[in-house]
Every structure is written in C-alpha cells, then in structure tokens.
Amino acid sequence: MESIKQRLSVYEQRTVCRMATLLDPRFKKSGFQHSSNAEQAATCFENELANFPVKETASNQPVAPDSSLLDTLFDFLGERSMNKFVNSRVDAILTKKQYLERAIVGQDIDPLLWMKVNQTDFPAIGSLFAKYLCIPATSVESERTFSKAGQIISERRTRLKEKNINILLFLNRNSWLK
C-alpha cells in the first residue's frame, strides 16, 4: 500500500486529476491523501464554476409585477427582484458548498448516472463532469488499438484505403476483444 501511495501521490498534484477526484461523488475531498491538494482542487473547482457561462432560465428571470397590484404595500419587493444583481463568483461559491456538503455516495454508484439524476440541482457541474470525467483512467484501450493497427498496416499492406483501415480497427473492435 505504501508503494502505491508513493507512486500515485504525484497525480494528486495535477489539475485534471484533482478535478476528476473532486467531481466524483464517491470521493470528493476525502479522495485526497493531502488536505492541501483537496483545497487546491476546491479552489480550481470554484474558479471553473465562476467562469461557467450562466444560462438564463425561467426561474432566474424576474417577473414583472402585475399592473393591477402596483399600488400595494409590497411593490418594493418586485422592484428589488427586478434590480437583483447576479454575481457569478457568489453563485460558484454557493454551488461548490452545496455540492461538497452532500453526502458521499457508495462505491457501487456510477458517477455519470449520479450526475444525470442530480442535473437539476447542479446544472453548472454537469458540464464539468463531461469535461473531466470523460477521460479514461488507463491507456490500455488506446494501446490495444495501436497494436492492432501495427498488425494490420505493414510493409506488405501499404495499399489499404483509410476507410478499410477504419473498418478493420474500429467497427470490428468487439469481435477481437472477446
């Protein structure tokens, strides 16, 4: 275990790995060996959320007060909501806090499925999931593809068309993996 910790601790300092660990609802901040790396990941997470383009939804847009109720006692509330200032940094801090305070899910839960279920609670985090959790954990699959390409494309088979190579490499993938 000590050897694994030493070998993998380097990855904890890389931004992409930090973000992927923090975004995974099975780990969040508890997935880090060093708390300083967890805090740096949270800061990076907040910055990404603050720079995320905000989509205006019906709930974010102020509703104009009904003209028949203009002379009521509560007109000031309508005016305040119309003049409400949106601050992306504050929204990012609140979203980060809400996400990190949610309970860590079980190890058998698929993070992408979890995000699909919780998309309405965290719409900005969904794009970060797509950005950071789509990266394969290993390069085994790509190595297999390169190896297979080396077997197909040789000095004797230099006249293969690109279309045929793609068919051999990518469309028949399931047949040679089994």
Side-chain angles (χ1 to χ4, degrees):
M1 282 304 288
E2 193 60 36
S3 173
I4 290 173
K5 286 181 181 180
Q6 287 177 348
R7 289 177 57 200
L8 297 180
S9 66
V10 178
Y11 295 103
E12 207 173 273
Q13 298 171 2
R14 296 181 180 168
T15 303
V16 173
C17 296
R18 282 180 182 159
M19 288 296 291
T21 303
L22 190 73
L23 284 170
D24 194 324
R26 300 171 297 176
F27 304 120
K28 296 185 183 178
K29 281 188 170 183
S30 65
F32 292 91
Q33 290 182 26
H34 304 287
S35 61
S36 62
N37 290 331
E39 290 306 318
Q40 289 175 347
T43 303
C44 183
F45 179 59
E46 182 182 313
N47 291 335
E48 290 262 355
L49 286 173
N51 294 328
F52 181 73
V54 179
K55 293 180 182 177
E56 288 295 323
T57 61
S59 63
N60 291 343
Q61 296 174 350
V63 177
D66 188 7
S67 59
S68 63
L69 300 175
L70 287 177
D71 295 329
T72 64
L73 179 63
F74 299 106
D75 285 345
F76 71 95
L77 291 176
E79 290 175 14
R80 279 189 183 171
S81 67
M82 295 284 286
N83 297 327
K84 185 179 176 184
F85 179 72
V86 177
N87 187 339
S88 62
R89 178 58 67 178
V90 172
D91 291 342
I93 292 169
L94 291 173
T95 302
K96 177 186 83 168
K97 186 174 181 179
Q98 288 171 349
Y99 175 72
L100 292 177
E101 287 181 354
R102 280 232 177 142
I104 294 174
V105 299
Q107 295 297 313
D108 59 333
I109 302 294
D110 179 9
L112 298 176
L113 183 61
W114 181 91
M115 188 64 237
K116 190 173 186 178
V117 170
N118 293 288
Q119 180 69 34
T120 56
D121 295 341
F122 304 109
I125 296 177
S127 67
L128 294 179
F129 261 71
K131 181 177 178 181
Y132 289 104
L133 292 182
C134 68
I135 301 167
T138 66
S139 62
V140 172
E141 190 66 33
S142 61
E143 291 296 330
R144 283 185 185 147
T145 304
F146 285 127
S147 175
K148 189 69 173 174
Q151 293 169 0
I152 292 172
I153 305 167
S154 65
E155 290 181 21
R156 292 183 168 204
R157 299 179 82 183
T158 58
R159 296 183 58 94
L160 278 172
K161 293 182 181 177
E162 182 179 342
K163 175 184 162 189
N164 293 336
I165 294 171
N166 285 334
I167 290 170
L168 290 170
L169 284 176
F170 300 110
L171 295 181
N172 293 330
R173 174 185 285 170
N174 291 335
S175 65
W176 61 268
L177 282 178
K178 292 180 181 179

